[in-house]
Amino acid sequence: MVIKIKKICCIGAGYVGGPTMSVIADRCPEIFVDVVDKNVERIKLWNSTNLKDLPIYEPGLEDIVKRRRGKNLTFSTNIKEKISSADMIFISVNTPTKTKGIGAGQASDLKWVEACARDVANFATGHTVVVEKSTLPVKTAEVIKKILEASQIPINFETKKSFDVLSNPEFLAEGSAIKDLEYPDRVLIGGENNEAILALNDIYINWVSPEKILHTNIWSSELAKLTANAFLAQRISSINSISALCENTGADVKEVSRAIGLDSRIGSKFLNSGPGFGGSCFKKDILNLVYLSKYFGLEEVAEFWEGVVKLNNWHQHRLSRLITNKLFGTISGKKICILGFSFKANTNDTRESAAITICKDLLEEGAFLSISDPKVNKKQIEKDLKSYSLNNLNYSEISDFFNYEGQWAFEEDINNAAEKSDAIVILTEWEEYLNINWEEISTMMRKPAWIFDARSILDPKEIKDNDLYLWRIGNGQSND
């Protein structure tokens, strides 16, 4: 049986579903793509006439949505209607780490995946190919299949439903998701039915070279995604551990990274030290591997991967302690400017951002924080820090910040954020920060003033020439 896909429905209009379906609609204009979500506000933003209001920021996404929306790409809350008319359904919903019960703190919470499977079971008609797109634990497809199979029994002699389940994990780096979708290193399709695999293969073949489309069994596909993220996170923790060693020995982590990156067996990617890995997948997927390893009695394997997460957590707390120590051992009543809150540049995603941990530590020590990010809004930062921003502060009228200990304010303007600050901490590698006028900023800060470059993106000479102390991650040299 040849399966021809004419209509696709994606459940989940988040960081994966929205961009992925936009690219599929753009590259396959003959296929109608419906993206559905229960979040009314999110769908409203996807349909906004002002493309700057899209709920997700990714370079290139606005142009694609502008080209395809209203033609063969729609965003809707009509879940039942769109599922019932689809030939292929992607499940692309959040799979957070469980906070309670069996596996709490490690296993993925699959309640939204199960809810989607039940919606598909209830509303699908005829034969439907169901595609796992969310990052899921191994054997999740088995859960989905059981739910779908239960709905295949004819009721009142109605036409029997039938399903195929595929795994098609995403390998997207936020900030370059559109590029990763349009020019992927590989596309992985795992399944049991060759006809279903070929149906999804025929979609990707419109823009992806055949040799980059890999077919596997469904379990290998699921595990490959977890493993890829775990390996990348491991590299980040590894280089960050070396950055701490560099700071204490006089070595420069950038020089070390360059030297080892030229080794063809290692390669240069993911060897930039920073404030620690974040995003929706790395920590969650490693903890998933830890849980699976423990479940199968592989305690040593679990301990190995758990160490990657522990090192990342230690590194983030290390940075906040270092800032406190450099500022004479106390930051109580001092103003610290935080530049960058998203977990990396070119995205507005703050999930598991290192900035959250570092800012909470600094607030706990009594600092007053002025936080600025070009794409993350005040409302999201309030949600992440679990505290409200102070509004409309006039810094020129404030003589000191002891009345604002442990509080923070959101500032869109970098100069406002830096005014009267004792230190500036760069936590995200936004391009805007490369063009800061440090001569002007220096006159606004309280001396002695520090710049903490946690991304190692600034010109040390420019900082030092403007009477500012500099600390760079992984560099044993500073002018203190």
Side-chain angles (χ1 to χ4, degrees), residues 170-171 186 188 221-235 270 282 285-286 289 305:
E170 51 87 13
F171 295 99
R186 77 293 203 194
L188 195 55
S221 177
E222 290 179 333
L223 186 56
K225 167 62 178 177
L226 296 183
T227 306
N229 281 344
F231 271 52
L232 293 175
Q234 181 193 29
R235 284 174 72 94
F270 278 76
F282 280 4
D285 289 355
I286 294 176
L289 279 179
W305 287 112

Side-chain angles (χ1 to χ4, degrees), residues 190-220:
E192 299 172 342
N193 185 338
N194 192 53
E195 285 76 17
I197 291 174
L198 289 176
L200 184 53
N201 186 98
D202 288 345
I203 292 174
Y204 284 112
I205 206 73
N206 284 281
W207 75 94
V208 180
S209 299
E211 64 271 13
K212 290 188 174 183
I213 305 177
L214 308 180
H215 298 175
T216 70
N217 71 49
I218 202 163
W219 321 125
S220 296

